[in-house]
């Protein structure tokens, strides 16, 4: 590592280090002396252990600034839940208030206009707070994600808010727009925004212990064996936090019972695993999980709509049976749980590689490394 330190510092991918080592005469037999099966395995560990040249040398920060930085991040991750709770309370208060609006401006009740304005403002503030959370701290992605990732996340959030109501309306022959008012699942939104805090803590907990395990390991096999339980523990802790938050908010807000709690927990677990993969340099996999959930939810709605056409009635029967026996929340619960399980299985292979925990440079490179070259 000291002999080839310059090569390792300037490399942007483990494959570049492997090529440089082979150019200097390092063979698989040489790598075996360092307890590695081949040159590529040795290059991966060198890439993970040596900081990039763009990063400043590691220094021990003063206790004061560290505490202030952690305090600012903690407040930042508390912000989405606080803003969402304030928005829900403000919408409820606006509905109970009787603020008159001149008849020449609107013919309907004035409280509806005030509620819509408050809800739109609060939604924008919540979205801004969530954007700040994913751009700083433990949830910040290593490389820029695709624009489609934001689109899939917006769809999933929108379905969590009013997807169950929309599915019931479609099954009943509607919806009869614009004469029907949507019903939003505010308890689900509140539980998911409050879950940002445990998600950030679990992501930081996993990253810190994985880096410590990397420093103590003497081979990649031992490192993978040590990181795999850490990943499972982080996912389990986040799922437990999601279940507790969703159940608590559902009990206080008078929600729909076990179905919405399961759906909110499955969606939260999916978004957590996707963000964890994006954090450690796997943006394509992080986008594929939410995209699969969107496809399943859209397919469920499309099958119910297609069942209205002559001869296509059997298409909507599976969804109708699921809604009849389990409730409309069964659709998003299954649609999010299956991709979340797939992401967990993928993460057990991808996040146990040493290159997934390499020191991040001060400025991320413009080009994203090909994930096919990663373990």
């Amino acid at each position: 590592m000291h002999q080839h330190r310059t090569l390792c510092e300037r490399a942007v991918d483990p494959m570049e280090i492997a090529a440089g080592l082979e150019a200097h005469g390092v063979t698989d037999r040489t790598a075996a002396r360092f307890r590695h099966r081949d040159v590529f395995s040795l290059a991966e560990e060198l890439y993970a252990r040596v900081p990039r040249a763009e990063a400043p040398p590691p220094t021990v920060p003063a206790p004061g600034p560290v505490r202030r930085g952690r305090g600012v991040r903690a407040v930042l991750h508390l912000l989405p839940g606080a803003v969402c709770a304030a928005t829900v309370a403000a919408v409820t208060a606006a509905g109970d208030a009787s603020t008159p609006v001149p008849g020449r401006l609107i013919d309907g009740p004035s409280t509806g206009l005030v509620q819509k304005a408050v809800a739109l403002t609060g939604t924008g503030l919540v979205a801004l707070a969530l954007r700040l959370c994913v751009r700083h701290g433990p949830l910040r992605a290593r490389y820029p994600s695709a624009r489609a990732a934001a689109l899939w996340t917006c769809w999933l959030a929108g379905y969590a808010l009013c997807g169950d109501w929309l599915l019931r309306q479609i099954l009943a022959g509607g919806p009869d727009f614009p004469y029907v008012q949507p019903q939003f699942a505010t308890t689900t939104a509140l539980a998911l925004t409050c879950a940002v805090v445990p998600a950030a803590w679990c992501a930081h907990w996993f990253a810190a212990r994985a880096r410590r395990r990397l420093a103590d390991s003497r081979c990649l096999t031992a490192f993978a064996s040590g990181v795999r339980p850490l990943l499972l523990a982080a996912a389990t802790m986040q799922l437990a936090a999601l279940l507790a938050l969703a159940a608590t908010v559902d009990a206080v807000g008078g929600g729909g019972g076990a179905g919405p709690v399961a759906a909110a927990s499955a969606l939260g677990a999916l978004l957590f695993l996707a963000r964890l993969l994006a954090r450690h340099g796997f943006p394509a996999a992080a986008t594929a999980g939410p995209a699969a959930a969107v496809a399943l939810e859209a397919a469920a709605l499309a099958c119910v709509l297609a069942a209205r056409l002559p001869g296509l009635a059997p298409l909507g029967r599976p969804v109708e049976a699921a809604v009849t026996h389990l409730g409309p929340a069964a659709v998003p619960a299954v649609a999010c749980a299956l991709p979340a399980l797939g992401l967990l299985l993928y993460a057990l292979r991808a996040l146990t590689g040493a290159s997934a925990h390499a020191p991040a440079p001060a400025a991320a490179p413009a080009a994203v490394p090909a994930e096919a070259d990663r373990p």
Side-chain angles (χ1 to χ4, degrees):
M1 183 170 61
H2 292 286
Q3 181 179 358
H4 302 281
R5 189 173 188 85
T6 302
L7 170 66
C8 298
E9 287 178 344
R10 296 179 179 178
V12 297
D13 190 85
M15 300 297 292
E16 184 176 345
I17 298 179
L21 293 177
E22 291 180 344
H24 285 83
V26 177
T27 63
D28 292 346
R29 181 176 298 180
T30 308
R33 293 167 45 200
F34 299 98
R35 301 179 183 179
H36 284 276
R37 63 181 181 274
D38 51 30
V39 177
F40 300 101
S41 175
L42 177 61
E44 182 187 342
E45 183 166 357
L46 291 175
Y47 179 78
R49 289 183 181 273
V50 179
R52 307 283 75 77
E54 296 85 357
T59 57
V60 180
V66 170
R67 285 195 292 267
R68 287 197 295 269
R70 289 178 180 176
V72 170
R73 286 197 296 268
V75 172
L76 183 64
H77 293 118
L78 285 169
L79 195 58
V83 174
C84 185
T87 301
V88 172
V91 170
T92 304
D96 297 335
S98 57
T99 304
V101 175
R104 66 179 183 273
L105 297 180
I106 186 170
D107 296 328
S110 61
T111 54
L113 180 62
V114 174
Q115 281 183 307
K116 291 179 181 178
V118 172
L120 288 175
T121 304
T123 302
L125 292 176
V126 170
L128 179 60
L130 289 173
R131 182 174 176 81
L132 291 175
C133 289
V134 299
R135 290 177 66 90
H136 302 86
L139 298 178
R140 181 176 181 270
R142 180 183 294 184
Y143 301 103
S145 58
R147 295 181 180 180
L151 179 62
W152 307 143
T153 304
C154 290
W155 170 283
L156 293 173
Y159 194 98
L161 282 175
C162 60
D164 294 347
W165 168 85
L166 180 61
L167 183 58
R168 285 194 299 265
Q169 291 291 318
I170 294 176
L171 289 173
D176 191 13
F177 290 122
Y179 304 104
V180 64
Q181 294 294 330
Q183 297 178 2
F184 297 100
T186 56
T187 55
T188 300
L190 185 57
L192 290 175
T193 51
C194 291
V196 174
V197 176
W201 185 87
C202 290
H204 174 73
W205 181 88
F206 170 71
R209 278 156 180 77
R211 287 292 301 166
R212 192 180 306 167
R213 181 75 62 176
L214 178 62
D216 297 337
S217 299
R218 291 295 175 264
C219 66
L220 294 179
T221 304
F223 173 72
S225 301
V227 171
R228 198 170 288 112
L230 296 177
L231 177 59
L232 292 174
T236 303
M237 289 188 293
Q238 176 62 12
L239 182 59
L242 283 165
L243 288 171
L245 285 171
T248 302
V249 174
D250 184 82
V252 173
V261 171
S265 301
L267 175 56
L270 172 64
L271 295 178
F272 171 73
L273 291 171
R275 203 64 200 174
L276 200 63
L277 287 168
R279 168 66 177 169
H280 291 276
F282 297 91
T287 304
V294 169
L296 291 175
E297 291 178 349
L301 296 176
C303 287
V304 176
L305 290 173
R308 298 179 180 180
L309 300 176
L312 298 180
L315 288 177
R317 289 174 185 171
V319 179
E320 293 179 5
V323 172
T324 302
H325 295 90
L326 302 175
V331 172
V334 174
C336 295
L338 293 180
L341 180 60
L343 285 185
L344 179 60
L345 296 177
Y346 180 84
L348 287 174
R349 176 179 174 270
L351 298 186
T352 55
S355 60
H357 306 276
V368 180
E371 294 192 8
D373 298 334
R374 295 181 179 273

